[in-house]
């Protein structure tokens, strides 16, 4: 059964559209031509048509069934061709066979009702599960997420919405076995691990200082390097302590006899021999050693200072350095001073080898610098280990945070999980029962199909249609099985000629509807006879006289009564019409009952180019055309102002001119004052002009103050003619006052 219709951006329905909600078994929709009735019937026939992309049909429990729609398109589809599709109904069946099939169909109907109950139970359980889950999502979000968001948001990364947080919470609840930690501990570790992710740091290159310390400890520095003392000239040189002076001057000796010191010809071969004897090979080796060690020391010291300077520069401005830069700089400064002092002493030693020099040992400063670098490298190693194990540590922390969160909401989570588990268990059982019922329903339908195969025929439809045609005077044509296909129909004249193309509008309308009634009872195939269906009747009755309309109304009322009594396969009926007489006949219940709980009434209206709908619930809004006029007047705020003039004119003509035999002048004369007579004349002129004249504009907006002014005059006519009671009755003024009281 359909429970709601939404129609938007189709025909005269705008973007806002309409909603026809609260649909019952029997639904009457009244509306004049052009208000959108056919659009409604077309939607029910084919909701997926491209014209209805923004419209929708909502079925009870999302179970659509076949909708059989009677409108002008039905006539075109079925009677615009030579052969008409046959309708299968129970044919030459024995009384026992028909009773057997009827009993089976009764069982099938009961089974369908039970299936629907089981489906409803399943849907109810699904809704309860969804409600429980949605409710707990809100609880978990407020109580567990928001409460811990500030401290542990990083642990919630990837689940920052209610749905994903809920799913993660249940997952962790089922498998998290981490150690339960205190909140303070988790917060502290979270600040370390979450606030700033550590990075790998390269270790500081350690300084190599063994060789420079060895050079400093060489004995050559304290040794006085002099020539041989056993040479005769050696005693003099050593006595005068001019060893270095003489040695430096030796390079200035030439091959002649001139002395480089006194510039006299005093250099003899013997003197040369004694100098060479004094500055022998051991002396030269000592000088070479001093020179070599000096050069190596200066090179090592320069490289070492450069390396240490680079370390100091690199880590001096670093925010995350592990090096104690202040201590490092202090010891580097001291070492630089010591290197400078040693370099000066070594330079003097090279100039005066006979001098004894004592170098300042760098070992202490170098050891301290070495230790500072080692300490930094140990911290760097710890950092790198942390980085290496960071993901592991981070995962451990996140798991422990979730363990804490779960423990915080354990009671509520356990309750929720237990409840959902119970509901899902019930749902599983309900689904199994539903599947079992559906299986039985299918088996029973197959039994009915098999029983019906040999007793279904298109002939009963032919006989029933022809009997009704004959009963109402349509004797010049009849419907017969097709010669080419006995499961199809043709319309013939008495002489055997095909009559479909020569039928009058009234004839084709009547036989089309009779054919539709048979489609309701049967099916286009043998196995579709017992299918459930929704019936939609849109009124193409303009060419039928009142007698035929009465017959059609009676036939439809029989269908409605069967639906009300839950007989047959029809689940729901829609009647759409613009004909007040037809509406009154087809919606008549009995002389005492005015309302039925299984019935709903609507009126479709069109204001300008836009269609709207108004619900009347179980109250039938249509009685007679005269009552309808007053109803339109009561609801003038919902209608176009243009129609008000015509409504007032027709009421005055019906009540005063036809029934009361009042002409326009007689109505005007009922007013004693000349001023009131002018106002009455103005009203009559206004309503006649609005009823008969054609406006030049496409769109006309009637000012509400004008309508209200003439509405007061309209009421005044009833007062002056002593018929105000009739006015109050038709406007339901007394009823409203009684209701308000």
């Amino acid at each position: 059964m359909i429970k709601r219709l939404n129609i938007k951006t189709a025909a005269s329905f705008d973007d806002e559209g309409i909603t026809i909600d609260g649909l019952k078994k029997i639904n009457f929709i009244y509306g004049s031509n052009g208000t959108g009735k056919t659009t409604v019937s077309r939607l029910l026939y084919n909701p997926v048509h491209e014209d209805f992309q923004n419209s929708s049909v909502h079925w009870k429990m999302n179970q659509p069934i076949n909708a059989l729609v009677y409108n002008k398109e039905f006539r075109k589809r079925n009677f615009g061709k030579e052969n008409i599709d046959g309708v299968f109904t129970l044919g030459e069946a024995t009384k026992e066979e028909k009773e057997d099939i009827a009993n089976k169909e009764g069982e099938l109907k009961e089974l369908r009702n039970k299936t629907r109950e089981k489906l409803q139970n399943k849907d109810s359980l699904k809704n309860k599960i969804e409600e429980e889950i949605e409710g707990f999502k809100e609880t978990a979000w407020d109580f567990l997420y928001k409460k811990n968001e500030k401290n542990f948001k990083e642990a919630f990364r990837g689940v920052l919405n209610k749905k994903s947080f809920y799913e993660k919470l249940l997952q962790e609840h089922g498998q998290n076995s981490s150690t339960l930690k205190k909140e303070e501990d988790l917060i502290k570790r979270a600040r370390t691990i979450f606030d700033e992710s550590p990075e790998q740091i390269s270790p500081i290159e350690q300084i190599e200082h063994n060789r420079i310390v060895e050079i400093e400890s060489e004995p050559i520095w304290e040794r006085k390097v002099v020539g041989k003392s056993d040479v005769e000239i050696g005693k003099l040189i050593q006595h005068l302590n001019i060893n270095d002076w003489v040695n430096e001057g030796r390079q200035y000796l030439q091959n002649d006899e001139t002395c480089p010191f006194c510039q006299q010809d005093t250099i003899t071969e013997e003197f040369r021999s004694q100098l060479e004897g004094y500055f022998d090979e051991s002396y030269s080796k000592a000088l070479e050693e001093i020179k070599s060690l000096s050069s190596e020391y200066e090179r090592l010291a320069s490289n070492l200072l450069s390396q240490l300077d680079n370390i100091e520069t690199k880590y001096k401005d670093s925010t995350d350095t592990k090096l104690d830069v202040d201590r490092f700089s202090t010891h580097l400064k001291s070492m630089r001073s010591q290197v400078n002092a040693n370099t000066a002493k070594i330079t003097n030693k090279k100039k005066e080898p006979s001098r004894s020099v004592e170098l300042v040992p760098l070992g202490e400063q170098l050891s301290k610098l070495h230790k500072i670098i080692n300490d930094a490298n140990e911290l760097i190693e710890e950092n790198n280990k942390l980085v290496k194990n960071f993901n592991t540590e981070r995962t451990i922390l996140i798991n422990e945070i979730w363990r804490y969160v779960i423990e915080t909401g354990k009671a509520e989570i356990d309750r929720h999980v237990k409840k959902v588990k119970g509901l899902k268990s019930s749902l599983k059982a309900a689904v199994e029962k539903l599947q079992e019922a559906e299986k039985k329903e299918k088996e029973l339908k197959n039994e009915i199909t098999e029983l019906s195969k040999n007793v279904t025929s298109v002939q009963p439809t032919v006989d029933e249609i022809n009997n009704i045609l004959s009963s109402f005077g349509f004797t010049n044509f009849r419907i017969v099985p097709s010669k080419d296909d006995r499961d199809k129909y043709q319309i013939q004249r008495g002489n055997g000629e095909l009559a479909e193309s020569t039928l009058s509008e009234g004839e084709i309308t009547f036989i089309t509807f009779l054919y539709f009634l048979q489609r309701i009872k049967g099916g286009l195939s043998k196995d579709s006879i017992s299918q459930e269906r929704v019936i939609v009747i849109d009124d193409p009755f303009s060419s039928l006289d009142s007698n035929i309309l009465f017959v059609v109304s009676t036939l439809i009322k029989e269908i409605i009564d069967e639906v009300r009594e839950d007989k047959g396969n029809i689940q729901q009926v829609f009647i759409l019409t613009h004909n007040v007489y037809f509406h009154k006949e087809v919606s008549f219940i009995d002389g005492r009952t005015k309302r039925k709980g299984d019935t709903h009434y609507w009126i479709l209206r069109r204001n300008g180019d836009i269609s709207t709908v108004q619900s009347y619930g179980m109250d039938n809004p249509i009685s007679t055309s005269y009552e309808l006029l007053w109803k339109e007047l009561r609801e003038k705020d919902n209608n176009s102002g243009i129609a008000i003039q015509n409504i007032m004119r027709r009421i005055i003509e019906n009540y005063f001119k036809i029934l009361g035999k009042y002409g326009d002048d007689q109505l005007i004369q009922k007013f004693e004052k000349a001023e009131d007579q002018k106002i009455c004349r103005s009203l009559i002129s206004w309503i006649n002009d609005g009823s008969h004249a054609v406006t030049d504009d496409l769109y006309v907006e009637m000012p509400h103050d004008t309508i209200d002014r003439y509405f007061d005059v309209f009421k005044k006519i009833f007062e002056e003619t002593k018929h105000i009671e009739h006015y109050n009755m038709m406007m339901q003024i007394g009823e409203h006052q009684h209701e308000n009281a």
Side-chain angles (χ1 to χ4, degrees):
M1 195 169 82
I2 300 169
K3 61 180 183 179
R4 185 173 72 254
L5 298 176
N6 297 106
I7 311 177
K8 294 181 180 180
T9 59
S12 57
F13 298 97
D14 61 6
D15 293 343
E16 184 176 348
I18 67 167
T19 297
I20 303 179
D21 203 354
L23 292 166
K24 303 290 186 178
K25 278 187 174 183
I26 313 299
N27 303 278
F28 293 100
I29 302 176
Y30 179 87
S32 58
N33 289 327
T35 56
K37 298 189 304 299
T38 299
T39 302
V40 174
S41 67
R42 288 180 59 237
L43 170 66
L44 292 169
Y45 176 72
N46 187 9
V48 297
H49 191 278
E50 61 182 7
D51 290 347
F52 303 114
Q53 293 180 3
N54 299 312
S55 303
S56 57
V57 177
H58 300 268
W59 294 84
K60 188 175 181 180
M61 293 183 286
N62 294 319
Q63 281 196 311
I65 57 177
N66 183 46
L68 188 58
V69 179
Y70 179 72
N71 54 18
K72 291 181 180 179
E73 292 180 357
F74 176 85
R75 169 181 157 179
K76 292 177 183 178
R77 286 194 302 271
N78 293 281
F79 284 82
K81 52 190 176 181
E82 184 175 311
N83 291 320
I84 305 165
D85 293 331
V87 179
F88 289 89
T89 56
L90 293 178
E92 299 299 325
T94 65
K95 180 181 179 181
E96 290 76 15
E97 287 173 330
K98 288 184 177 180
E99 287 179 354
D100 191 17
I101 292 173
N103 290 334
K104 294 286 185 184
E105 287 180 340
E107 290 178 27
L108 180 60
K109 195 170 190 67
E110 289 181 8
L111 192 54
R112 280 173 175 163
N113 290 333
K114 290 179 180 178
T115 302
R116 288 193 181 96
E117 289 176 3
K118 289 177 172 58
L119 178 61
Q120 193 169 5
N121 182 44
K122 184 202 77 171
D123 291 342
S124 175
L125 287 168
K126 285 180 67 177
N127 291 336
K128 286 180 180 179
I129 292 172
E130 290 174 4
E131 289 172 3
E132 171 62 26
I133 289 174
E134 290 303 316
F136 184 72
K137 279 182 187 177
E138 296 294 332
T139 300
W141 186 257
D142 293 336
F143 180 59
L144 298 178
Y145 175 81
K146 289 186 176 180
K147 180 183 176 184
N148 295 290
E149 178 185 14
K150 180 180 179 181
N151 296 321
F152 304 134
K153 189 171 184 178
E154 187 67 21
F156 300 149
R157 185 178 295 277
V159 292
L160 299 180
N161 61 63
K162 295 176 183 178
K163 180 177 181 294
S164 58
F165 181 79
Y166 166 79
E167 292 171 351
K168 179 68 173 176
L169 191 67
L170 293 192
Q171 178 187 347
E172 294 293 331
H173 175 265
Q175 66 184 33
N176 193 311
S177 58
S178 300
T179 305
L180 181 61
K181 300 288 186 180
K182 291 183 179 180
E183 183 182 21
E184 296 79 9
D185 176 60
L186 294 173
I187 293 173
K188 182 178 180 181
R189 288 166 57 205
R191 288 172 182 167
T192 303
I193 294 179
F194 291 155
D195 288 357
E196 223 174 293
S197 300
E199 296 180 356
Q200 284 277 353
I201 302 174
S202 299
I204 303 170
E205 184 181 357
Q206 189 54 268
I207 57 175
E208 180 57 50
H209 61 279
N210 291 335
R211 179 56 185 157
I212 200 168
V213 172
E214 289 177 358
I215 293 174
E216 290 175 350
S217 62
E218 288 291 337
I220 192 68
W221 306 115
E222 296 183 1
R223 174 184 161 195
K224 295 181 178 181
V225 180
V226 295
K228 292 178 66 176
S229 59
D230 58 351
V231 178
E232 183 176 351
I233 196 173
K235 295 177 182 179
L236 177 62
I237 292 172
Q238 292 179 6
H239 175 73
L240 296 175
N241 196 22
I242 57 173
N243 191 86
D244 297 324
W245 179 74
V246 173
N247 181 56
E248 187 176 355
R250 280 198 310 150
Q251 61 183 311
Y252 297 105
L253 288 177
Q254 305 296 326
N255 292 328
D256 55 17
E257 297 176 351
T258 303
C259 176
F261 304 109
C262 66
Q263 295 297 309
Q264 299 296 320
D265 295 334
T266 58
I267 303 302
T268 64
E269 286 299 325
E270 184 180 356
F271 181 75
R272 288 179 186 276
S273 177
Q274 286 188 30
L275 282 178
E276 289 178 2
Y278 182 76
F279 296 108
D280 60 0
E281 185 179 353
S282 62
Y283 181 83
S284 298
K285 286 182 178 180
L287 292 183
E288 186 61 33
E289 183 181 359
I290 292 172
K291 183 179 178 182
S292 174
L293 290 174
S294 297
S295 176
E296 184 179 5
Y297 185 87
E298 290 173 359
R299 177 176 58 78
L300 290 175
S302 176
N303 291 341
L304 188 57
L305 288 173
S306 177
Q307 180 184 359
L308 295 171
D309 284 339
N310 289 337
I311 292 172
E312 180 186 39
T313 301
K314 180 178 180 180
Y315 295 101
K316 187 174 183 179
D317 298 324
S318 177
T319 57
D320 62 345
T321 179
K322 306 300 180 183
L323 184 72
D324 189 342
V325 178
D326 291 338
R327 286 180 58 219
F328 184 87
S329 298
T330 299
H331 292 295
L332 175 58
K333 184 177 181 181
S334 298
M335 197 195 86
R336 181 177 283 108
S337 298
Q338 292 174 349
V339 168
N340 291 337
N342 286 345
T343 302
K345 290 180 179 181
I346 289 173
T347 300
N348 290 335
K349 180 68 175 178
K350 285 193 296 182
K351 290 180 180 179
E352 300 178 9
S354 63
R355 288 192 178 191
S356 174
V357 296
E358 185 178 354
L359 299 182
V360 180
L362 301 180
E364 183 180 355
Q365 297 301 332
L366 287 170
S367 295
K368 290 179 179 179
L369 290 169
H370 188 280
K371 186 177 187 309
I372 292 172
I373 293 173
N374 269 349
D375 291 344
N377 282 337
E378 286 178 4
L379 294 175
I380 290 172
E381 185 178 1
E382 290 179 8
N383 175 83
N384 292 344
K385 283 181 180 178
L386 179 62
V387 172
K388 186 177 181 180
N389 298 321
F390 175 73
N391 290 334
T392 302
E393 294 296 326
R394 191 174 187 277
T395 301
I396 291 173
L397 176 60
I398 290 175
N399 288 337
E400 290 175 350
I401 289 173
W402 277 103
R403 175 73 173 85
Y404 166 77
V405 171
I406 291 167
E407 192 65 25
T408 303
K410 188 176 187 304
E412 187 62 23
I413 298 173
D414 288 345
R415 181 208 62 79
H416 170 71
V417 170
K418 183 178 180 181
K419 184 171 182 179
V420 171
K421 184 179 179 181
L423 288 171
K424 286 185 175 180
S425 177
S426 299
L427 176 61
K428 182 181 178 182
V431 170
E432 290 173 353
K433 289 180 180 178
L434 175 62
Q435 291 172 343
E436 183 181 351
E438 289 174 340
K439 181 182 178 182
K440 289 181 179 179
E441 183 180 328
K442 185 177 180 181
E443 291 173 351
L444 190 54
K445 284 170 67 177
N446 291 337
E447 287 183 30
I448 294 172
T449 301
E450 288 299 318
L451 289 172
S452 303
K453 275 184 179 179
N454 299 323
V455 295
T456 54
S457 169
V458 298
Q459 188 60 43
T461 297
V462 172
D463 296 339
E464 187 165 349
I465 290 177
N466 288 335
N467 288 336
I468 296 176
L469 287 173
S470 177
S471 299
F472 292 97
F474 293 91
T475 58
N476 60 338
F477 67 91
R478 63 194 181 110
I479 188 168
V480 297
S482 172
K483 295 178 181 179
D484 300 328
D485 186 345
R486 301 302 293 178
D487 289 340
K488 292 185 180 293
Y489 304 142
Q490 290 180 327
I491 304 174
Q492 283 186 355
R493 294 293 184 187
N495 59 7
E497 294 180 358
L498 296 181
E500 193 275 332
S501 61
T502 60
L503 294 176
S504 69
E505 187 70 20
E507 290 171 337
I508 194 72
T509 299
F510 189 43
I511 197 171
T512 301
F513 185 73
L514 295 180
Y515 174 75
F516 177 77
L517 292 181
Q518 297 305 310
R519 287 280 298 271
I520 291 174
K521 298 177 181 179
L524 295 180
S525 61
K526 292 181 179 181
D527 58 357
S528 64
I529 295 175
S530 60
Q531 284 182 347
E532 293 181 313
R533 58 201 67 178
V534 170
I535 304 303
V536 183
I537 300 175
D538 185 10
D539 61 355
F541 300 131
S542 57
S543 300
L544 300 180
D545 60 34
S546 58
N547 290 331
I548 301 301
L549 273 178
F550 177 78
V551 174
V552 170
S553 301
T554 302
L555 294 173
I556 294 175
K557 284 168 66 177
E558 290 177 359
I559 295 172
I560 291 174
D561 289 341
E562 289 183 358
V563 174
R564 282 197 170 113
E565 294 172 9
D566 207 22
K567 295 180 179 178
N569 300 323
I570 302 173
Q571 299 298 310
Q572 193 173 26
V573 177
F574 290 83
I575 308 293
L576 302 98
T577 184
H578 74 285
N579 189 303
V580 175
Y581 174 77
F582 170 71
H583 179 93
K584 180 182 177 182
E585 287 297 324
V586 80
S587 62
F588 179 77
I589 302 173
D590 57 49
R592 300 175 303 277
T593 307
K594 292 185 177 181
R595 308 175 88 203
K596 280 279 189 180
D598 57 11
T599 305
H600 201 142
Y601 296 90
W602 286 269
I603 288 184
L604 278 171
R605 294 186 176 87
R606 186 164 175 171
N607 191 351
D609 290 335
I610 308 302
S611 291
T612 60
V613 70
Q614 184 174 357
S615 169
Y616 290 86
M618 294 183 290
D619 297 317
N620 191 342
I622 309 299
S623 295
T624 65
S625 57
Y626 181 68
E627 290 173 333
L628 182 61
L629 290 173
W630 282 97
K631 188 170 191 63
E632 293 291 322
L633 203 61
R634 289 196 301 269
E635 298 172 359
K636 62 184 177 65
D637 293 336
N638 296 325
N639 304 320
S640 170
I642 299 174
I644 295 297
Q645 293 162 294
N646 190 39
I647 293 169
M648 288 182 175
R649 177 186 63 79
R650 291 175 64 187
I651 289 175
I652 290 175
E653 286 180 351
N654 272 276
Y655 189 73
F656 290 110
K657 295 183 179 180
I658 296 176
L659 302 178
K661 302 187 182 299
Y662 285 105
D664 290 343
D665 291 337
Q666 290 173 304
L667 288 176
I668 294 170
Q669 292 303 319
K670 287 292 182 181
F671 290 85
E672 295 181 359
K673 296 181 180 179
E675 183 179 349
D676 291 340
Q677 290 179 359
K678 290 180 181 180
I679 294 174
C680 182
R681 188 182 301 279
S682 173
L683 169 68
I684 293 173
S685 299
W686 178 71
I687 60 179
N688 287 333
D689 179 68
S691 301
H692 304 299
V694 179
T695 178
D696 293 331
D697 298 324
L698 181 59
Y699 298 104
V700 176
E701 182 179 355
M702 187 64 62
H704 286 287
D705 56 349
T706 301
I707 295 173
D708 292 340
R709 184 167 64 251
Y710 284 119
F711 200 87
D712 291 338
V713 178
F714 176 77
K715 178 181 178 182
K716 191 77 171 175
I717 290 175
F718 286 89
E719 290 177 347
E720 296 298 331
T721 56
K722 311 301 182 185
H723 288 276
I724 190 62
E725 292 83 2
H726 180 73
Y727 175 89
N728 291 336
M729 177 184 70
M730 300 308 292
M731 292 297 291
Q732 298 180 354
I733 292 176
E735 294 181 19
H736 292 165
Q737 290 174 343
H738 178 71
E739 290 174 4
N740 292 334

